[in-house]
Amino acid sequence: MEQKTMQDLQNDVDQYISGFKEGYFSPLAMMARISEEVGELAREINHYYGEKPKKASEKEKEIEEELGDVLFVLICLANSLNIDLEKAHDLVMNKFKTRDKDRWTKIE
C-alpha cells in the first residue's frame, strides 16, 4: 500500500467534500463534530483500557476507526480554513524541539 502525505489526505477529503452541494460545514459546526468524535474515541479507549466495559447492547467499534473519524473532521476543518496541516505540524514540532526541548527526560 502506498504511503500518503498529509497533502494527499487533505486532497482526498477535499475531493470527497467537493462532491456535495453543502460543502464544508461552518468552523463552529466542525468544532462540535470534532468534540463529538473525540468523545467517541475516549469511550472506546475507556472500554479497552479503562474500568468501564461495554454493555452487551453496544456495537463493537475499533479505536482505529474512531481515530480515523477524528482525523477526517480535523482535515475538514483545516481545509475549510485553508490551513496546510503539514505546515501546522512543522510549526508545532519546532515549538516542541525548542521551547520544550528540556521538558522531559531524553533516552540516551
Side-chain angles (χ1 to χ4, degrees):
M1 184 180 216
E2 184 183 327
Q3 292 282 323
K4 292 184 176 183
T5 66
M6 184 58 73
Q7 189 60 56
D8 292 335
L9 297 178
Q10 286 193 254
N11 288 340
D12 285 350
V13 169
D14 194 57
Q15 285 178 353
Y16 176 75
I17 296 297
S18 295
F20 300 98
K21 288 180 182 179
E22 293 82 3
Y24 291 105
F25 295 154
S26 71
L28 188 56
M30 282 191 275
M31 193 62 232
R33 290 258 343 263
I34 289 171
S35 298
E36 177 185 329
E37 296 298 349
V38 168
E40 291 176 13
L41 173 61
R43 186 172 180 84
E44 286 306 307
I45 289 175
N46 193 25
H47 289 316
Y48 279 93
Y49 301 105
E51 291 73 37
K52 186 178 178 190
K54 283 188 180 270
K55 297 175 189 172
S57 62
E58 285 184 288
K59 179 180 143 192
E60 277 299 314
K61 283 192 172 180
E62 295 293 326
I63 291 172
E64 180 180 40
E65 180 182 350
E66 296 302 340
L67 278 169
D69 288 344
V70 172
L71 180 60
F72 177 82
V73 180
L74 184 66
I75 291 171
C76 285
L77 178 59
N79 284 356
S80 75
L81 297 173
N82 295 313
I83 292 173
D84 178 338
L85 284 173
E86 191 171 328
K87 183 178 176 185
H89 166 79
D90 291 346
L91 288 168
V92 169
M93 289 307 296
N94 183 57
K95 178 174 62 176
F96 283 123
K97 290 176 180 179
T98 55
R99 183 192 73 189
D100 295 336
K101 67 182 171 57
D102 297 320
R103 192 173 203 174
W104 294 280
T105 307
K106 291 193 168 133
I107 299 172
E108 300 197 29

